[in-house]
Amino acid sequence: MNPTNRILMCAPDHFNVAYVINPWMKGNVACCDPVLAMRQWQELARAIGRVASVETVRGGESVPDMVFTANAGLVLGQKVVLSHFRHPERQAEEALFADWFALHGLEVEQLPGDMYFEGAGDALLDRSAPVLWLGFGHRSDAACAPLLAQSLQIEVQGLRLVNPHFYHLDTCFCPLDGGFLLYHPEAFDAAARKIIAARVPASRRIAVDAADAAAFACNAVSIGRHVFLNAASDKLLAALQAHGYQVHVTPLSEFMKAGGAAKCLTLKLDEPGQSQWPAPAWEEARETAGTAV
Ligand code: ARG
């Protein structure tokens, strides 16, 4: 286990589908099995706990979606940019997450109050260049981009999301440690696809088809060469394995009913700040050793 990989999770003690704010929740209100949800969450936490240190924040009774800690904010270095949720149903989570961050020594920053930003659900660090990808069009505002760039001193590339089923960037886009990108091209508009193609070479893009995307295969937790996800077809598993990734499949059916899976249930607490941009260690080792990727 690499102790520098720290992941924040929130146990599903109060998890439920209590309202509908994305298409996956439709028809699923009050349909979650709490025992199964707890078992699935523990399985994911246990699997991640083998390669990273898992920390937890306590949920609250009136905030059933708080299990999706990816939406708490975006951590870079010692700073966290706190989320401001578009839907009032989730806004009470903001103060709870802010308290946890402050208590754990992070400098909590807020964007202007009229701006919606849903944290690491929509803002994902590239793994091979100091670029922050920002998904907008459903939850976070495109206008966050220059403010995030200024505050975090990092280049921000906005990507417009066009399919309501893929309403957060992390539902359809996952930069993998080592420089590959797992993504579902159809979730993006033409301009976004062009930006992706210009920044990530074709040999490093792993396009995920509609069936795998609907099983939230892109909603993957990437820690070193380990990839944790809800489900993946044999074809996708083989593609990931061929590039050197070790895939851990941990079924998360109960959380899918709320429109979330593995990545949504986690928040990286150790993302490097501007001055600490690292070389992707294991990938470099593979390349120096002459291993084809
Ligand atoms: N029900 C939650 C919502 O609609 C799910 C959040 C999933 N989180 C994520 N990072 N994609 O806000």
Side-chain angles (χ1 to χ4, degrees):
M1 178 175 87
N2 180 348
T4 62
N5 289 321
R6 295 168 56 220
I7 302 285
L8 181 65
M9 297 182 71
C10 172
D13 300 300
H14 306 289
F15 171 66
N16 195 359
V17 178
Y19 43 75
V20 176
I21 58 171
N22 71 54
W24 305 89
M25 299 173 100
K26 264 181 219 143
N28 280 323
V29 170
C31 281
C32 289
D33 173 341
V35 175
L36 182 56
M38 183 57 84
R39 205 183 309 142
Q40 292 179 337
W41 183 89
Q42 283 169 342
E43 208 37 65
L44 177 68
R46 207 172 299 132
I48 292 177
R50 290 191 196 106
V51 301
S53 104
V54 173
E55 305 187 19
T56 51
V57 53
R58 197 188 298 231
E61 233 168 275
S62 55
V63 279
D65 270 338
M66 193 165 160
V67 289
F68 299 114
T69 50
N71 298 124
L74 171 69
V75 179
L76 274 206
Q78 276 317 295
K79 261 192 197 174
V80 55
V81 181
L82 196 67
S83 290
H84 177 39
F85 289 91
R86 182 168 295 274
H87 296 287
E89 289 88 339
R90 292 199 67 183
Q91 287 170 357
E93 295 175 38
E94 294 166 16
L96 301 176
F97 282 127
D99 286 350
W100 192 94
F101 289 134
L103 203 68
H104 289 78
L106 287 161
E107 190 189 318
V108 182
E109 233 182 71
Q110 272 173 283
L111 296 175
D114 57 346
M115 230 170 241
Y116 295 116
F117 173 60
E118 300 205 354
D122 270 331
L124 297 176
L125 261 192
D126 193 82
R127 298 287 156 199
S128 54
V131 174
L132 182 70
W133 299 99
L134 177 74
F136 66 89
H138 298 299
R139 299 291 185 87
S140 298
D141 287 324
C144 295
L147 300 181
L148 291 170
Q150 162 86 31
S151 146
L152 301 169
Q153 289 297 294
I154 190 167
E155 177 189 350
V156 180
Q157 280 291 343
L159 301 173
R160 183 182 288 279
L161 299 167
V162 292
N163 180 334
H165 279 90
F166 302 108
Y167 58 93
H168 277 141
L169 183 63
D170 69 1
T171 62
C172 52
F173 186 95
C174 178
L176 296 173
D177 280 26
F180 282 85
L181 172 70
L182 195 61
Y183 79 126
H184 179 49
E186 290 75 17
F188 298 90
D189 75 355
R193 279 193 242 177
K194 226 171 166 178
I195 296 173
I196 296 168
R199 300 299 294 257
V200 185
S203 61
R204 299 241 149 184
R205 300 196 298 266
I206 305 175
V208 169
D209 67 19
D212 272 323
F216 268 35
C218 298
N219 195 246
V221 183
S222 159
I223 303 175
R225 68 181 67 210
H226 298 277
V227 176
F228 303 84
L229 42 73
N230 168 63
S233 63
D234 289 347
K235 187 173 144 234
L236 181 56
L237 282 178
L240 287 166
Q241 283 157 359
H243 292 308
Y245 295 101
Q246 199 169 315
V247 184
H248 308 265
V249 176
T250 63
L252 295 160
S253 61
E254 298 317 288
F255 301 96
M256 295 281 295
K257 293 175 184 170
K263 162 64 173 61
C264 307
L265 292 165
T266 64
L267 177 70
K268 285 196 170 168
L269 294 171
D270 56 357
E271 293 285 33
Q274 186 222 10
S275 55
Q276 318 141 250
W277 190 259
W282 66 268
E283 184 62 20
E284 288 218 330
R286 283 165 62 79
E287 278 175 358
T288 350
T291 318
V293 288

